[in-house]
Amino acid sequence: MLTGGGDCPGLNAVIRSVVRKGVQEYGFDFVGLRDGWRGALRGHVVPLGIQEVRGILPRGGTILGSSRTNPFKHEDGVQRIRDTLASHDVDALVVIGGEDTLGVATELSRQGIRLVGVPKTIDNDVSGTDCTFGFDTAVGIATEAIDRLHTTAESHMRTLVVEVMGRHSGWIALRAGVAGGANVILVPERPFDIDQVCAWVKSRFKINYAPIVVAAEGAVPKEGQMILKDRTLDEFGHVHLSGIGEWLAQEIEQRTGTDARTTVLGHIQRGGTPSAFDRWLATRFGLHAVDAVNDGDFGMMVALRGTEIIRIPLAEATAHTKLVDPSLYDEFQVFFG
């Protein structure tokens, strides 16, 4: 088993449920690959039994560690993974991750490595599943932060821009923004008009209220390009996002003549105790993932569809990014800049 990509509340719940059911019902033995695909490349393997997973259900992060390692960027990456699995008598992998980690799993599955995927991301952007664990916790944390920022915004009568995670999908910004009573919500799927944003800010001040603007880190203005502080790339070719919140605050100050400040929630959204829903969903994913291993149904990903856990081909799940449904723009159009 391995956990890859950004850490996420609920990862330990998956690990726990896979091990408990696998050992107790199927008599499986488990090992964990440390730090995602990096551990698979380096042969860094640790034992995973009932004792190792005891008490980890409420813990955030992952006891196996994680990384954004892309084995296809390393010399003989696939063969090194095969060697690691063979040397430790690993018959199958349970791969827990988001679009990048599962994208690697999809290609490895095509090359004959037996594995099952479990979708994980706070961004909720993995297609094929109604929801990913970690998302509910992240939305709750962001909503609480927005609630707190309302009072300080009103105290100083200034605009507060809240930058939340969301590279390609604005699910966190939309859910937390609406739940937290934000006045403007900016998402990557819909380039925004900065003049319209400033007009909304001014209208709030006219009725003696301080505006809250929630922006996903991947939000982009209509006129221009993505705002970045750092253009270095990770092994999957992604830039390290951040900067849109600061840019918005500066633009709002210059265009409206009023004070504006930025709060970047960043990794706060990833950390801490998972919500009850995320523990429940992660546990169900783990139980069904080990069932798929037992059935020999490899190359599949477990997914939530309604209230049912189903299996879908990994290739289908990683074919595209799940974006905010366009119908929600009309439903919540009053909030979009």
Side-chain angles (χ1 to χ4, degrees):
M1 197 173 344
L2 66 81
T3 53
D7 65 298
C8 173
L11 283 167
N12 287 324
V14 180
I15 295 168
R16 172 180 175 271
S17 65
V18 169
V19 170
R20 285 174 63 91
K21 184 170 188 177
V23 170
Q24 295 173 352
E25 188 162 328
Y26 297 126
F28 291 161
D29 293 320
F30 290 94
V31 294
L33 297 174
R34 286 287 305 172
D35 303 325
W37 294 118
R38 182 190 299 160
L41 292 172
R42 297 179 178 178
H44 193 176
V45 176
V46 295
L48 268 184
I50 297 294
Q51 182 61 40
E52 284 77 18
V53 302
R54 185 167 292 145
I56 67 172
L57 177 64
R59 286 176 56 182
T62 164
I63 62 169
L64 293 178
S66 190
S67 71
R68 296 189 184 277
T69 302
N70 182 352
F72 296 106
K73 295 292 186 180
H74 294 256
E75 186 175 357
D76 298 325
V78 175
Q79 187 56 50
R80 289 164 64 185
I81 291 174
R82 291 185 189 276
D83 292 343
T84 294
L85 300 182
S87 64
H88 292 88
D89 298 320
V90 174
D91 298 307
L93 273 177
V94 175
V95 179
I96 312 166
E99 57 176 344
D100 295 326
T101 302
L102 294 180
V104 170
T106 302
E107 183 55 35
L108 291 177
S109 178
R110 292 192 184 107
Q111 297 192 32
I113 293 179
R114 307 199 311 173
L115 52 82
V116 172
V118 176
K120 169 252 26 163
T121 170
I122 67 169
D123 290 343
N124 197 37
D125 60 359
V126 175
S127 63
T129 182
D130 290 350
C131 190
T132 54
F133 66 86
F135 173 62
D136 183 71
T137 303
V139 169
I141 291 169
T143 301
E144 181 181 356
I146 295 167
D147 287 345
R148 291 174 179 273
L149 290 170
H150 272 291
T151 57
T152 190
E154 298 292 346
S155 296
H156 296 276
M157 285 308 292
R158 61 164 59 117
T159 302
L160 287 183
V161 179
V162 186
E163 183 182 305
V164 300
M165 286 186 171
R167 177 179 294 275
H168 302 298
S169 300
W171 289 107
I172 294 177
L174 176 61
R175 291 276 187 95
V178 171
N183 308 111
V184 182
I185 301 170
L186 308 177
V187 296
E189 296 91 334
R190 187 166 180 169
F192 62 88
D193 182 342
I194 186 61
D195 290 328
Q196 178 65 65
V197 171
C198 291
W200 283 53
V201 166
K202 288 180 178 178
S203 69
R204 290 293 292 179
F205 280 124
K206 284 181 181 178
I207 57 174
N208 206 34
Y209 281 100
I212 298 288
V213 177
V214 174
E217 60 188 355
V220 183
K222 286 182 179 178
E223 303 297 329
Q225 58 185 3
M226 186 176 287
I227 310 301
L228 300 171
K229 284 184 177 180
D230 181 358
R231 295 186 178 274
T232 58
L233 303 179
D234 66 16
E235 291 190 5
F236 291 94
H238 300 314
V239 292
H240 301 280
L241 294 185
S242 186
I244 185 62
E246 185 177 330
W247 181 85
L248 278 165
Q250 291 174 353
E251 290 293 316
I252 289 169
E253 279 198 345
Q254 292 172 7
R255 293 167 182 255
T256 67
T258 58
D259 285 344
R261 298 289 187 274
T262 305
T263 297
V264 180
L265 296 186
H267 289 83
I268 291 174
Q269 296 157 94
R270 291 192 182 280
T273 301
S275 67
F277 176 82
D278 281 341
R279 299 184 203 189
W280 173 84
L281 179 58
T283 297
R284 293 189 71 199
F285 276 166
L287 297 176
H288 284 263
V290 79
D291 285 344
V293 171
N294 184 66
D295 294 342
D297 199 7
F298 301 115
M300 305 295 283
M301 184 190 84
V302 294
L304 179 67
R305 193 69 55 83
T307 59
E308 184 183 2
I309 304 296
I310 64 170
R311 302 173 191 170
I312 63 173
L314 266 168
E316 176 186 327
T318 57
H320 64 272
T321 300
K322 185 176 74 176
L323 305 177
V324 171
D325 188 334
S327 67
L328 294 175
Y329 300 141
D330 296 328
E331 187 173 338
F332 295 108
Q333 62 179 329
V334 69
F335 298 105
F336 288 96

